[in-house]
Amino acid sequence: MQQILLPNFPKESGSVMDNATLHKGKAMQKMLEDAGHSLLYFPHYFPDLNPIEKKLAQAKHIRRT
């Protein structure tokens, strides 16, 4: 995040993250806020906003059949 993403973010941009422990850490929040960016989180469980959920559902379906 600090070495690759932040230097390439447009000024005052926002970042939307899932609720992974890594993303919820104070260090991540502080890093983004110090750089002038806002931080938003997905709701706790909202599969429509997280594309990996669709792939996991497909894999589970294949595994069951």
Side-chain angles (χ1 to χ4, degrees):
M1 175 66 96
Q2 191 171 22
Q3 295 173 359
I4 297 172
L5 292 179
L6 278 180
N8 293 303
F9 273 0
K11 292 184 181 195
E12 300 177 4
S13 63
S15 180
V16 179
M17 296 189 186
D18 61 14
N19 289 291
T21 304
L22 170 70
H23 299 152
K24 291 289 236 177
K26 297 289 182 196
M28 180 71 69
Q29 293 172 358
K30 184 170 178 9
M31 185 183 350
L32 286 165
E33 289 171 1
D34 288 349
H37 304 294
S38 59
L39 180 60
L40 301 170
Y41 293 100
F42 284 135
H44 284 288
Y45 184 72
F46 206 91
D48 294 339
L49 295 177
N50 192 351
I52 193 69
E53 293 288 340
K54 292 177 184 175
K55 292 297 178 188
L56 288 173
Q58 289 174 349
K60 288 177 186 177
H61 177 74
I62 291 169
R63 187 172 180 189
R64 277 185 247 138
T65 57

Short mmCIF file of all heavy atoms in Angstrom, two decimals:
data_model
loop_
_atom_site.label_atom_id
_atom_site.label_comp_id
_atom_site.label_asym_id
_atom_site.label_seq_id
_atom_site.Cartn_x
_atom_site.Cartn_y
_atom_site.Cartn_z
N MET A 1 0.83 -1.18 0.00
CA MET A 1 0.00 0.00 0.00
C MET A 1 0.87 1.25 0.00
O MET A 1 0.67 2.13 -0.81
CB MET A 1 -0.91 -0.03 1.23
CG MET A 1 -1.74 1.20 1.40
SD MET A 1 -2.97 1.45 0.12
CE MET A 1 -4.38 0.77 0.85
N GLN A 2 1.81 1.30 0.88
CA GLN A 2 2.62 2.51 1.05
C GLN A 2 3.57 2.73 -0.12
O GLN A 2 3.79 3.86 -0.54
CB GLN A 2 3.39 2.42 2.35
CG GLN A 2 4.05 3.71 2.76
CD GLN A 2 4.62 3.61 4.17
OE1 GLN A 2 4.88 2.53 4.66
NE2 GLN A 2 4.79 4.74 4.80
N GLN A 3 4.11 1.66 -0.67
CA GLN A 3 5.12 1.80 -1.72
C GLN A 3 4.54 1.85 -3.12
O GLN A 3 5.11 2.49 -4.00
CB GLN A 3 6.11 0.64 -1.62
CG GLN A 3 6.90 0.65 -0.34
CD GLN A 3 7.75 -0.60 -0.20
OE1 GLN A 3 7.73 -1.48 -1.04
NE2 GLN A 3 8.50 -0.67 0.88
N ILE A 4 3.42 1.18 -3.35
CA ILE A 4 2.90 1.09 -4.72
C ILE A 4 1.58 1.86 -4.89
O ILE A 4 1.45 2.68 -5.79
CB ILE A 4 2.71 -0.38 -5.14
CG1 ILE A 4 4.07 -1.07 -5.14
CG2 ILE A 4 2.06 -0.47 -6.50
CD1 ILE A 4 4.02 -2.56 -5.35
N LEU A 5 0.62 1.61 -4.04
CA LEU A 5 -0.71 2.21 -4.26
C LEU A 5 -0.77 3.69 -3.90
O LEU A 5 -1.25 4.49 -4.69
CB LEU A 5 -1.76 1.44 -3.47
CG LEU A 5 -2.04 0.02 -3.96
CD1 LEU A 5 -3.07 -0.65 -3.08
CD2 LEU A 5 -2.50 0.02 -5.39
N LEU A 6 -0.33 4.05 -2.71
CA LEU A 6 -0.45 5.45 -2.29
C LEU A 6 0.21 6.44 -3.24
O LEU A 6 -0.38 7.47 -3.56
CB LEU A 6 0.08 5.64 -0.87
CG LEU A 6 -0.89 5.29 0.24
CD1 LEU A 6 -0.24 5.51 1.60
CD2 LEU A 6 -2.16 6.06 0.14
N PRO A 7 1.42 6.17 -3.72
CA PRO A 7 2.02 7.14 -4.65
C PRO A 7 1.25 7.30 -5.96
O PRO A 7 1.38 8.31 -6.64
CB PRO A 7 3.40 6.56 -4.92
CG PRO A 7 3.70 5.68 -3.76
CD PRO A 7 2.37 5.13 -3.34
N ASN A 8 0.42 6.32 -6.30
CA ASN A 8 -0.32 6.36 -7.56
C ASN A 8 -1.78 6.77 -7.41
O ASN A 8 -2.49 6.91 -8.40
CB ASN A 8 -0.25 5.00 -8.26
CG ASN A 8 1.17 4.71 -8.72
OD1 ASN A 8 1.75 5.48 -9.46
ND2 ASN A 8 1.73 3.62 -8.23
N PHE A 9 -2.26 6.94 -6.18
CA PHE A 9 -3.63 7.41 -5.96
C PHE A 9 -3.75 8.86 -6.36
O PHE A 9 -2.87 9.67 -6.06
CB PHE A 9 -3.99 7.31 -4.47
CG PHE A 9 -4.53 5.98 -4.03
CD1 PHE A 9 -4.70 4.92 -4.90
CD2 PHE A 9 -4.88 5.78 -2.71
CE1 PHE A 9 -5.19 3.71 -4.47
CE2 PHE A 9 -5.38 4.57 -2.28
CZ PHE A 9 -5.53 3.53 -3.16
N PRO A 10 -4.84 9.24 -7.02
CA PRO A 10 -5.09 10.66 -7.26
C PRO A 10 -5.26 11.38 -5.92
O PRO A 10 -5.68 10.78 -4.94
CB PRO A 10 -6.39 10.68 -8.05
CG PRO A 10 -6.55 9.30 -8.59
CD PRO A 10 -5.86 8.40 -7.63
N LYS A 11 -4.95 12.65 -5.89
CA LYS A 11 -5.06 13.42 -4.64
C LYS A 11 -6.50 13.39 -4.11
O LYS A 11 -7.44 13.45 -4.88
CB LYS A 11 -4.62 14.86 -4.86
CG LYS A 11 -3.15 14.97 -5.12
CD LYS A 11 -2.72 16.41 -5.23
CE LYS A 11 -1.22 16.40 -5.50
NZ LYS A 11 -0.61 17.67 -5.30
N GLU A 12 -6.60 13.29 -2.81
CA GLU A 12 -7.88 13.29 -2.10
C GLU A 12 -8.85 12.24 -2.61
O GLU A 12 -10.05 12.48 -2.71
CB GLU A 12 -8.51 14.68 -2.13
CG GLU A 12 -7.66 15.75 -1.49
CD GLU A 12 -8.26 17.12 -1.58
OE1 GLU A 12 -9.39 17.26 -2.09
OE2 GLU A 12 -7.60 18.07 -1.14
N SER A 13 -8.36 11.08 -2.96
CA SER A 13 -9.23 10.01 -3.43
C SER A 13 -9.71 9.17 -2.25
O SER A 13 -9.25 9.32 -1.13
CB SER A 13 -8.50 9.13 -4.44
OG SER A 13 -7.39 8.50 -3.84
N GLY A 14 -10.64 8.30 -2.52
CA GLY A 14 -11.18 7.42 -1.49
C GLY A 14 -10.79 5.99 -1.78
O GLY A 14 -10.52 5.61 -2.91
N SER A 15 -10.75 5.21 -0.75
CA SER A 15 -10.43 3.80 -0.87
C SER A 15 -11.54 3.01 -0.20
O SER A 15 -11.94 3.30 0.92
CB SER A 15 -9.09 3.52 -0.19
OG SER A 15 -8.76 2.16 -0.29
N VAL A 16 -12.07 2.00 -0.89
CA VAL A 16 -13.13 1.16 -0.34
C VAL A 16 -12.52 -0.22 -0.10
O VAL A 16 -11.95 -0.82 -1.01
CB VAL A 16 -14.33 1.05 -1.30
CG1 VAL A 16 -15.40 0.16 -0.73
CG2 VAL A 16 -14.87 2.43 -1.61
N MET A 17 -12.64 -0.69 1.12
CA MET A 17 -12.03 -1.97 1.49
C MET A 17 -13.05 -2.89 2.14
O MET A 17 -14.08 -2.45 2.63
CB MET A 17 -10.88 -1.73 2.47
CG MET A 17 -9.76 -0.93 1.88
SD MET A 17 -8.39 -0.93 3.02
CE MET A 17 -7.31 0.20 2.20
N ASP A 18 -12.71 -4.18 2.14
CA ASP A 18 -13.55 -5.12 2.86
C ASP A 18 -13.17 -5.07 4.35
O ASP A 18 -12.39 -4.23 4.76
CB ASP A 18 -13.42 -6.53 2.29
CG ASP A 18 -12.01 -7.09 2.37
OD1 ASP A 18 -11.18 -6.53 3.10
OD2 ASP A 18 -11.75 -8.10 1.70
N ASN A 19 -13.73 -5.94 5.13
CA ASN A 19 -13.54 -5.91 6.57
C ASN A 19 -12.43 -6.84 7.05
O ASN A 19 -12.48 -7.32 8.18
CB ASN A 19 -14.85 -6.22 7.28
CG ASN A 19 -15.82 -5.08 7.15
OD1 ASN A 19 -15.61 -4.02 7.72
ND2 ASN A 19 -16.87 -5.26 6.37
N ALA A 20 -11.46 -7.12 6.21
CA ALA A 20 -10.33 -7.94 6.63
C ALA A 20 -9.59 -7.25 7.77
O ALA A 20 -9.52 -6.03 7.83
CB ALA A 20 -9.38 -8.17 5.45
N THR A 21 -9.05 -8.04 8.67
CA THR A 21 -8.33 -7.50 9.82
C THR A 21 -7.23 -6.55 9.40
O THR A 21 -7.04 -5.48 10.00
CB THR A 21 -7.75 -8.65 10.66
OG1 THR A 21 -8.82 -9.53 11.02
CG2 THR A 21 -7.11 -8.13 11.92
N LEU A 22 -6.52 -6.88 8.35
CA LEU A 22 -5.44 -6.04 7.85
C LEU A 22 -5.96 -4.65 7.46
O LEU A 22 -5.33 -3.64 7.74
CB LEU A 22 -4.79 -6.70 6.63
CG LEU A 22 -3.81 -5.86 5.83
CD1 LEU A 22 -2.54 -5.64 6.64
CD2 LEU A 22 -3.49 -6.52 4.52
N HIS A 23 -7.13 -4.61 6.84
CA HIS A 23 -7.69 -3.34 6.39
C HIS A 23 -8.25 -2.50 7.52
O HIS A 23 -8.38 -1.29 7.40
CB HIS A 23 -8.79 -3.58 5.36
CG HIS A 23 -8.29 -4.27 4.14
ND1 HIS A 23 -9.10 -5.06 3.38
CD2 HIS A 23 -7.07 -4.31 3.55
CE1 HIS A 23 -8.40 -5.56 2.36
NE2 HIS A 23 -7.17 -5.11 2.46
N LYS A 24 -8.63 -3.14 8.62
CA LYS A 24 -9.24 -2.44 9.74
C LYS A 24 -8.20 -1.92 10.73
O LYS A 24 -8.55 -1.24 11.68
CB LYS A 24 -10.20 -3.37 10.49
CG LYS A 24 -11.44 -3.71 9.70
CD LYS A 24 -12.34 -2.54 9.60
CE LYS A 24 -13.70 -2.89 10.12
NZ LYS A 24 -14.62 -1.79 10.10
N GLY A 25 -6.94 -2.24 10.52
CA GLY A 25 -5.90 -1.85 11.46
C GLY A 25 -5.70 -0.34 11.52
O GLY A 25 -5.91 0.38 10.54
N LYS A 26 -5.29 0.13 12.67
CA LYS A 26 -5.05 1.57 12.87
C LYS A 26 -3.95 2.08 11.94
O LYS A 26 -4.00 3.20 11.46
CB LYS A 26 -4.69 1.86 14.33
CG LYS A 26 -5.78 1.52 15.31
CD LYS A 26 -6.92 2.49 15.19
CE LYS A 26 -7.97 2.15 16.23
NZ LYS A 26 -9.23 2.78 15.96
N ALA A 27 -2.94 1.24 11.68
CA ALA A 27 -1.83 1.67 10.82
C ALA A 27 -2.32 1.97 9.41
O ALA A 27 -1.91 2.96 8.80
CB ALA A 27 -0.74 0.59 10.80
N MET A 28 -3.20 1.12 8.89
CA MET A 28 -3.75 1.32 7.54
C MET A 28 -4.58 2.60 7.49
O MET A 28 -4.44 3.41 6.58
CB MET A 28 -4.61 0.13 7.14
CG MET A 28 -5.23 0.25 5.76
SD MET A 28 -4.07 0.09 4.41
CE MET A 28 -3.64 -1.62 4.55
N GLN A 29 -5.43 2.79 8.49
CA GLN A 29 -6.26 3.98 8.54
C GLN A 29 -5.41 5.24 8.61
O GLN A 29 -5.64 6.21 7.89
CB GLN A 29 -7.20 3.91 9.74
CG GLN A 29 -8.23 2.82 9.63
CD GLN A 29 -9.03 2.64 10.91
OE1 GLN A 29 -8.80 3.30 11.90
NE2 GLN A 29 -9.98 1.72 10.87
N LYS A 30 -4.41 5.22 9.48
CA LYS A 30 -3.55 6.39 9.66
C LYS A 30 -2.77 6.70 8.39
O LYS A 30 -2.64 7.85 7.99
CB LYS A 30 -2.61 6.17 10.84
CG LYS A 30 -1.74 7.38 11.14
CD LYS A 30 -1.00 7.19 12.45
CE LYS A 30 -0.07 8.31 12.82
NZ LYS A 30 -0.08 9.52 12.10
N MET A 31 -2.26 5.66 7.73
CA MET A 31 -1.48 5.85 6.51
C MET A 31 -2.31 6.56 5.44
O MET A 31 -1.85 7.49 4.80
CB MET A 31 -1.00 4.48 6.00
CG MET A 31 -0.09 4.55 4.82
SD MET A 31 0.45 2.96 4.12
CE MET A 31 -0.06 1.72 5.26
N LEU A 32 -3.54 6.11 5.26
CA LEU A 32 -4.41 6.72 4.25
C LEU A 32 -4.82 8.13 4.64
O LEU A 32 -4.81 9.05 3.81
CB LEU A 32 -5.64 5.86 4.02
CG LEU A 32 -5.38 4.58 3.22
CD1 LEU A 32 -6.54 3.62 3.35
CD2 LEU A 32 -5.15 4.92 1.76
N GLU A 33 -5.19 8.33 5.90
CA GLU A 33 -5.60 9.65 6.35
C GLU A 33 -4.44 10.65 6.28
O GLU A 33 -4.63 11.81 5.89
CB GLU A 33 -6.17 9.57 7.76
CG GLU A 33 -7.53 8.87 7.78
CD GLU A 33 -8.03 8.58 9.18
OE1 GLU A 33 -7.34 8.93 10.17
OE2 GLU A 33 -9.11 7.99 9.29
N ASP A 34 -3.25 10.22 6.67
CA ASP A 34 -2.08 11.11 6.61
C ASP A 34 -1.76 11.53 5.17
O ASP A 34 -1.23 12.61 4.94
CB ASP A 34 -0.85 10.44 7.23
CG ASP A 34 -0.95 10.34 8.75
OD1 ASP A 34 -1.86 10.95 9.33
OD2 ASP A 34 -0.10 9.63 9.34
N ALA A 35 -2.09 10.66 4.21
CA ALA A 35 -1.85 10.97 2.81
C ALA A 35 -2.99 11.80 2.21
O ALA A 35 -2.96 12.15 1.03
CB ALA A 35 -1.65 9.68 2.01
N GLY A 36 -4.04 12.08 3.01
CA GLY A 36 -5.14 12.92 2.54
C GLY A 36 -6.25 12.16 1.84
O GLY A 36 -7.04 12.75 1.10
N HIS A 37 -6.33 10.86 2.05
CA HIS A 37 -7.35 10.04 1.41
C HIS A 37 -8.42 9.63 2.41
O HIS A 37 -8.15 9.52 3.61
CB HIS A 37 -6.73 8.78 0.79
CG HIS A 37 -5.64 9.08 -0.18
ND1 HIS A 37 -5.86 9.73 -1.37
CD2 HIS A 37 -4.31 8.86 -0.12
CE1 HIS A 37 -4.71 9.87 -2.01
NE2 HIS A 37 -3.76 9.35 -1.26
N SER A 38 -9.62 9.37 1.92
CA SER A 38 -10.68 8.88 2.80
C SER A 38 -10.76 7.36 2.69
O SER A 38 -10.34 6.77 1.70
CB SER A 38 -12.02 9.52 2.44
OG SER A 38 -12.36 9.24 1.11
N LEU A 39 -11.32 6.75 3.69
CA LEU A 39 -11.39 5.30 3.77
C LEU A 39 -12.81 4.88 4.10
O LEU A 39 -13.40 5.35 5.06
CB LEU A 39 -10.42 4.81 4.86
CG LEU A 39 -10.32 3.32 5.11
CD1 LEU A 39 -9.87 2.59 3.85
CD2 LEU A 39 -9.33 3.06 6.23
N LEU A 40 -13.37 4.01 3.27
CA LEU A 40 -14.71 3.48 3.48
C LEU A 40 -14.63 1.96 3.50
O LEU A 40 -13.75 1.36 2.88
CB LEU A 40 -15.65 3.91 2.36
CG LEU A 40 -15.83 5.42 2.18
CD1 LEU A 40 -16.59 5.70 0.89
CD2 LEU A 40 -16.56 6.00 3.37
N TYR A 41 -15.57 1.33 4.20
CA TYR A 41 -15.60 -0.13 4.30
C TYR A 41 -16.91 -0.66 3.76
O TYR A 41 -17.96 -0.03 3.88
CB TYR A 41 -15.45 -0.58 5.75
CG TYR A 41 -14.11 -0.27 6.34
CD1 TYR A 41 -13.92 0.83 7.15
CD2 TYR A 41 -13.02 -1.07 6.05
CE1 TYR A 41 -12.67 1.13 7.68
CE2 TYR A 41 -11.77 -0.79 6.57
CZ TYR A 41 -11.61 0.30 7.39
OH TYR A 41 -10.37 0.58 7.89
N PHE A 42 -16.84 -1.87 3.17
CA PHE A 42 -18.05 -2.58 2.78
C PHE A 42 -18.84 -2.91 4.04
O PHE A 42 -18.25 -3.04 5.12
CB PHE A 42 -17.72 -3.92 2.09
CG PHE A 42 -17.25 -3.80 0.68
CD1 PHE A 42 -16.15 -4.52 0.26
CD2 PHE A 42 -17.90 -3.02 -0.25
CE1 PHE A 42 -15.71 -4.44 -1.05
CE2 PHE A 42 -17.47 -2.93 -1.57
CZ PHE A 42 -16.37 -3.66 -1.96
N PRO A 43 -20.14 -3.12 3.91
CA PRO A 43 -20.89 -3.66 5.06
C PRO A 43 -20.29 -5.02 5.44
O PRO A 43 -19.59 -5.65 4.64
CB PRO A 43 -22.30 -3.83 4.51
CG PRO A 43 -22.38 -2.92 3.34
CD PRO A 43 -20.99 -2.86 2.76
N HIS A 44 -20.58 -5.50 6.65
CA HIS A 44 -19.96 -6.73 7.13
C HIS A 44 -20.15 -7.92 6.21
O HIS A 44 -19.23 -8.68 5.97
CB HIS A 44 -20.44 -7.07 8.54
CG HIS A 44 -19.81 -6.18 9.56
ND1 HIS A 44 -18.49 -6.30 9.91
CD2 HIS A 44 -20.29 -5.15 10.26
CE1 HIS A 44 -18.19 -5.39 10.80
NE2 HIS A 44 -19.26 -4.66 11.03
N TYR A 45 -21.33 -8.12 5.68
CA TYR A 45 -21.52 -9.20 4.72
C TYR A 45 -22.39 -8.67 3.60
O TYR A 45 -23.60 -8.49 3.77
CB TYR A 45 -22.15 -10.43 5.36
CG TYR A 45 -22.24 -11.57 4.37
CD1 TYR A 45 -21.09 -12.25 3.97
CD2 TYR A 45 -23.44 -11.93 3.80
CE1 TYR A 45 -21.15 -13.26 3.04
CE2 TYR A 45 -23.51 -12.95 2.87
CZ TYR A 45 -22.36 -13.62 2.50
OH TYR A 45 -22.41 -14.63 1.57
N PHE A 46 -21.78 -8.41 2.48
CA PHE A 46 -22.51 -7.89 1.34
C PHE A 46 -21.91 -8.51 0.08
O PHE A 46 -21.09 -7.89 -0.60
CB PHE A 46 -22.43 -6.36 1.30
CG PHE A 46 -23.59 -5.74 0.60
CD1 PHE A 46 -24.72 -5.38 1.31
CD2 PHE A 46 -23.57 -5.52 -0.77
CE1 PHE A 46 -25.80 -4.81 0.66
CE2 PHE A 46 -24.64 -4.95 -1.42
CZ PHE A 46 -25.76 -4.59 -0.70
N PRO A 47 -22.27 -9.75 -0.24
CA PRO A 47 -21.63 -10.48 -1.34
C PRO A 47 -21.76 -9.82 -2.71
O PRO A 47 -20.93 -10.02 -3.57
CB PRO A 47 -22.31 -11.85 -1.33
CG PRO A 47 -23.56 -11.66 -0.56
CD PRO A 47 -23.32 -10.52 0.39
N ASP A 48 -22.78 -8.99 -2.91
CA ASP A 48 -22.95 -8.34 -4.21
C ASP A 48 -21.83 -7.35 -4.51
O ASP A 48 -21.55 -7.05 -5.66
CB ASP A 48 -24.29 -7.62 -4.29
CG ASP A 48 -25.46 -8.59 -4.25
OD1 ASP A 48 -25.24 -9.77 -4.56
OD2 ASP A 48 -26.56 -8.17 -3.90
N LEU A 49 -21.19 -6.82 -3.46
CA LEU A 49 -20.11 -5.87 -3.66
C LEU A 49 -18.73 -6.53 -3.70
O LEU A 49 -17.75 -5.87 -3.97
CB LEU A 49 -20.12 -4.82 -2.54
CG LEU A 49 -21.34 -3.91 -2.51
CD1 LEU A 49 -21.26 -2.96 -1.31
CD2 LEU A 49 -21.45 -3.11 -3.79
N ASN A 50 -18.67 -7.81 -3.40
CA ASN A 50 -17.39 -8.49 -3.35
C ASN A 50 -17.37 -9.60 -4.40
O ASN A 50 -17.94 -10.67 -4.20
CB ASN A 50 -17.19 -9.08 -1.94
CG ASN A 50 -15.78 -9.54 -1.72
OD1 ASN A 50 -14.98 -9.59 -2.65
ND2 ASN A 50 -15.47 -9.89 -0.49
N PRO A 51 -16.70 -9.38 -5.53
CA PRO A 51 -16.73 -10.35 -6.64
C PRO A 51 -16.20 -11.73 -6.28
O PRO A 51 -16.61 -12.72 -6.86
CB PRO A 51 -15.87 -9.72 -7.72
CG PRO A 51 -15.46 -8.40 -7.25
CD PRO A 51 -15.91 -8.22 -5.85
N ILE A 52 -15.31 -11.83 -5.30
CA ILE A 52 -14.77 -13.14 -4.93
C ILE A 52 -15.88 -14.03 -4.38
O ILE A 52 -15.82 -15.26 -4.50
CB ILE A 52 -13.59 -13.00 -3.94
CG1 ILE A 52 -12.84 -14.31 -3.79
CG2 ILE A 52 -14.07 -12.53 -2.58
CD1 ILE A 52 -12.06 -14.73 -5.00
N GLU A 53 -16.91 -13.45 -3.78
CA GLU A 53 -18.01 -14.23 -3.24
C GLU A 53 -18.71 -15.04 -4.35
O GLU A 53 -19.12 -16.17 -4.13
CB GLU A 53 -19.02 -13.34 -2.53
CG GLU A 53 -18.51 -12.69 -1.28
CD GLU A 53 -18.35 -13.67 -0.12
OE1 GLU A 53 -18.97 -14.75 -0.14
OE2 GLU A 53 -17.60 -13.34 0.80
N LYS A 54 -18.84 -14.46 -5.53
CA LYS A 54 -19.49 -15.17 -6.64
C LYS A 54 -18.64 -16.36 -7.08
O LYS A 54 -19.16 -17.44 -7.35
CB LYS A 54 -19.73 -14.22 -7.80
CG LYS A 54 -20.76 -13.17 -7.47
CD LYS A 54 -20.95 -12.18 -8.60
CE LYS A 54 -21.93 -11.10 -8.16
NZ LYS A 54 -22.08 -10.06 -9.13
N LYS A 55 -17.33 -16.17 -7.14
CA LYS A 55 -16.45 -17.27 -7.53
C LYS A 55 -16.44 -18.37 -6.47
O LYS A 55 -16.42 -19.55 -6.80
CB LYS A 55 -15.03 -16.76 -7.76
CG LYS A 55 -14.91 -15.86 -8.96
CD LYS A 55 -15.25 -16.62 -10.22
CE LYS A 55 -15.19 -15.74 -11.44
NZ LYS A 55 -15.68 -16.39 -12.64
N LEU A 56 -16.47 -17.99 -5.20
CA LEU A 56 -16.51 -18.98 -4.13
C LEU A 56 -17.82 -19.77 -4.19
O LEU A 56 -17.82 -20.99 -3.99
CB LEU A 56 -16.37 -18.30 -2.76
CG LEU A 56 -14.99 -17.77 -2.43
CD1 LEU A 56 -15.04 -16.98 -1.13
CD2 LEU A 56 -13.97 -18.89 -2.33
N ALA A 57 -18.92 -19.10 -4.49
CA ALA A 57 -20.20 -19.79 -4.61
C ALA A 57 -20.17 -20.79 -5.77
O ALA A 57 -20.68 -21.90 -5.65
CB ALA A 57 -21.33 -18.78 -4.80
N GLN A 58 -19.56 -20.40 -6.89
CA GLN A 58 -19.43 -21.31 -8.04
C GLN A 58 -18.58 -22.52 -7.66
O GLN A 58 -18.92 -23.66 -8.00
CB GLN A 58 -18.80 -20.60 -9.22
CG GLN A 58 -19.71 -19.58 -9.88
CD GLN A 58 -18.98 -18.80 -10.97
OE1 GLN A 58 -17.78 -18.85 -11.10
NE2 GLN A 58 -19.75 -18.02 -11.72
N ALA A 59 -17.48 -22.29 -6.97
CA ALA A 59 -16.61 -23.40 -6.57
C ALA A 59 -17.32 -24.35 -5.63
O ALA A 59 -17.21 -25.59 -5.75
CB ALA A 59 -15.34 -22.85 -5.93
N LYS A 60 -18.08 -23.81 -4.69
CA LYS A 60 -18.83 -24.65 -3.76
C LYS A 60 -19.88 -25.47 -4.49
O LYS A 60 -20.09 -26.65 -4.18
CB LYS A 60 -19.50 -23.79 -2.68
CG LYS A 60 -18.52 -23.23 -1.69
CD LYS A 60 -19.24 -22.34 -0.69
CE LYS A 60 -18.24 -21.66 0.23
NZ LYS A 60 -18.93 -20.73 1.16
N HIS A 61 -20.53 -24.86 -5.50
CA HIS A 61 -21.54 -25.57 -6.27
C HIS A 61 -20.90 -26.73 -7.04
O HIS A 61 -21.44 -27.84 -7.05
CB HIS A 61 -22.25 -24.62 -7.22
CG HIS A 61 -23.24 -25.29 -8.11
ND1 HIS A 61 -24.46 -25.73 -7.64
CD2 HIS A 61 -23.18 -25.62 -9.43
CE1 HIS A 61 -25.10 -26.31 -8.64
NE2 HIS A 61 -24.36 -26.25 -9.73
N ILE A 62 -19.78 -26.47 -7.67
CA ILE A 62 -19.08 -27.52 -8.43
C ILE A 62 -18.66 -28.65 -7.51
O ILE A 62 -18.77 -29.83 -7.84
CB ILE A 62 -17.87 -26.93 -9.19
CG1 ILE A 62 -18.36 -26.02 -10.31
CG2 ILE A 62 -16.95 -28.01 -9.71
CD1 ILE A 62 -17.28 -25.18 -10.96
N ARG A 63 -18.18 -28.29 -6.34
CA ARG A 63 -17.70 -29.29 -5.38
C ARG A 63 -18.85 -30.19 -4.89
O ARG A 63 -18.67 -31.36 -4.66
CB ARG A 63 -17.05 -28.61 -4.20
CG ARG A 63 -16.38 -29.53 -3.25
CD ARG A 63 -15.62 -28.77 -2.23
NE ARG A 63 -14.99 -29.70 -1.33
CZ ARG A 63 -14.38 -29.38 -0.23
NH1 ARG A 63 -14.30 -28.12 0.12
NH2 ARG A 63 -13.84 -30.29 0.53
N ARG A 64 -20.04 -29.58 -4.74
CA ARG A 64 -21.20 -30.36 -4.26
C ARG A 64 -21.74 -31.31 -5.32
O ARG A 64 -22.37 -32.30 -4.99
CB ARG A 64 -22.32 -29.42 -3.84
CG ARG A 64 -22.13 -28.91 -2.44
CD ARG A 64 -23.34 -28.08 -2.03
NE ARG A 64 -22.84 -26.72 -1.90
CZ ARG A 64 -23.43 -25.63 -2.32
NH1 ARG A 64 -24.61 -25.69 -2.88
NH2 ARG A 64 -22.89 -24.45 -2.16
N THR A 65 -21.51 -31.01 -6.60
CA THR A 65 -22.08 -31.85 -7.66
C THR A 65 -21.13 -32.92 -8.10
O THR A 65 -20.02 -33.02 -7.79
CB THR A 65 -22.50 -31.00 -8.87
OG1 THR A 65 -21.39 -30.28 -9.36
CG2 THR A 65 -23.62 -30.09 -8.51
#
